[in-house]
Amino acid sequence: MEREELIKRIIEEKGEQAIDDLIKLLEDEDSQVKEIASETLFKLGKASKDPLYREFKKESMKVIGMI
């Protein structure tokens, strides 16, 4: 399956319900998996904004030692 087809399928079958899993995949070791997750989140648009912000904030807190 080609990349664009895969992204389209994720959006059509899971839509916004895939956001949390896609965010987790941003940390995958496989760069292609990360790129597909990132592009899919981008295509989901505003729906992914708040979950991404929360994850960024949580990870930032870990880095500065607050969690």
Side-chain angles (χ1 to χ4, degrees), residues 1-4 9 13 15 18 22-24 26 29-30 37-38 44-47 53 58 66:
M1 182 176 297
E2 290 187 34
R3 179 188 184 117
E4 287 300 317
R9 187 171 174 192
E13 292 183 12
L22 290 166
I23 290 172
K24 290 175 188 170
L26 293 174
E29 291 181 15
D30 186 326
S38 176
L44 285 166
K46 290 183 181 182
Y53 177 74
K58 183 172 79 175
M66 295 185 73

Side-chain angles (χ1 to χ4, degrees), residues 2-67:
E2 290 187 34
R3 179 188 184 117
E4 287 300 317
E5 290 176 21
L6 179 59
I7 291 168
K8 183 178 177 184
R9 187 171 174 192
I10 293 168
I11 292 171
E12 288 175 354
E13 292 183 12
K14 298 293 183 177
E16 294 177 11
Q17 293 177 340
I19 292 173
D20 289 339
D21 291 331
L22 290 166
I23 290 172
K24 290 175 188 170
L25 289 174
L26 293 174
E27 296 183 33
D28 197 276
E29 291 181 15
D30 186 326
S31 63
Q32 289 184 355
V33 170
K34 289 192 270 193
E35 289 173 13
I36 290 169
S38 176
E39 192 169 336
T40 305
L41 286 164
F42 176 77
K43 289 188 178 205
L44 285 166
K46 290 183 181 182
S48 61
K49 179 183 164 191
D50 288 339
L52 280 167
Y53 177 74
R54 282 192 298 273
E55 185 65 23
F56 174 76
K57 189 174 179 181
K58 183 172 79 175
E59 291 299 316
S60 295
M61 294 296 205
K62 286 180 185 177
V63 169
I64 61 173
M66 295 185 73
I67 293 182

